[in-house]
Amino acid sequence: MTETTETAEALEVPLRETHAPPAPPHRVWTVALAGLGALLCALDIVVVATALPALQADFGASLSQLEWTINAYNLVFACLTLTGAALGDRFGRRRMYVTGLAVFTLASAAAGLAGDSGQLIAARVVQGAGAAVLLPLTLTLISEAFPAEKRGVAIGVWGGVTGLGVAAGPVLGGAVTEGLSWQWIFWLNVPLGLAMLPLAARKLTESFGPRPTSTSSAWCWPPSG
């Protein structure tokens, strides 16, 4: 009878431990901040397109100037993305995420304050540089925070939020331009960016990329004689 009771108790132990533990808080914050950072960058790729008629009416801009309000962001963003990822590996991913977010937020405010097309294009260049640092590090931070077996779900959330930003950009840009003014498509980034900055500095975990190492054998002179 005693052996039967002990066997039953041994079988009950695994059943009590089947509940998965909740995700650590830093992982939740990492997904939230990475998703919001990716959303901001993705929105500003396409959000300006529906505001072009309003920009032409306010600035009297030519067709080429209107094109550059979009292309300035996209070109700088595309050209500097690898550089932004490398800076994160070298100087710290959290540090460069915060830096990229600060640059993006300040450039958004400058774009909202632009008085002519030249100022707006210049602000969009700086905004693209900030996004080039910000966006690649959102995915790197997620990959660093989650183990391999749980990384797929987190990356799926990140991808869904990024796709939502690209899809909703024209709709949001048109609604904001019609309901408020074209400046607000940039001003909306500012309070969100300012709220994210202290959270990112406190909640994200710092990490670095692999450093290249040199082996002593690579620098050995061949034996003489």
Side-chain angles (χ1 to χ4, degrees):
M1 184 67 178
T2 305
E3 293 180 357
T4 305
T5 305
E6 291 177 353
T7 303
E9 291 177 352
L11 293 174
E12 289 176 1
V13 172
L15 296 177
R16 295 170 185 170
E17 297 177 353
T18 55
H19 298 288
H26 79 277
R27 291 181 185 172
V28 176
W29 280 110
T30 299
V31 173
L33 290 168
L36 287 173
L39 179 65
L40 288 177
C41 297
L43 277 174
D44 276 71
I45 294 174
V46 292
V47 73
V48 181
T50 50
L52 293 181
L55 291 173
Q56 186 176 32
D58 280 7
F59 294 153
S62 64
L63 179 60
S64 62
Q65 289 173 326
L66 293 175
E67 290 174 347
W68 274 108
T69 60
I70 299 175
N71 294 338
Y73 179 91
N74 293 344
L75 287 174
V76 174
F77 172 68
C79 291
L80 296 182
T81 296
L82 292 179
T83 302
L87 289 173
D89 289 343
R90 177 66 178 85
F91 297 105
R93 291 157 180 162
R94 180 185 63 185
R95 180 183 302 170
M96 294 311 301
Y97 175 96
V98 172
T99 302
L101 179 60
V103 171
F104 183 90
T105 303
L106 290 173
S108 297
L113 293 171
D116 56 48
S117 57
Q119 293 177 9
L120 178 59
I121 292 170
R124 291 282 284 170
V125 168
V126 179
Q127 195 181 35
V133 177
L134 179 59
L135 183 61
L137 295 181
T138 59
L139 186 56
T140 309
L141 287 166
I142 288 177
S143 299
E144 189 68 25
F146 286 83
E149 63 272 11
K150 297 182 179 180
R151 198 174 296 158
V153 175
I155 293 177
V157 173
W158 175 89
V161 172
T162 305
L164 177 64
V166 175
V171 178
L172 180 63
V176 172
T177 302
E178 289 293 327
L180 298 170
S181 66
W182 66 263
Q183 287 90 344
W184 278 97
I185 63 178
F186 300 110
W187 281 118
L188 289 177
N189 296 332
V190 176
L192 186 57
L194 292 176
M196 290 169 60
L197 282 170
L199 290 174
R202 295 180 59 185
K203 300 296 184 180
L204 295 178
T205 302
E206 185 63 282
S207 62
F208 296 85
R211 302 282 181 89
T213 58
S214 59
T215 59
S216 57
S217 60
W219 299 97
C220 289
W221 292 97
S224 58

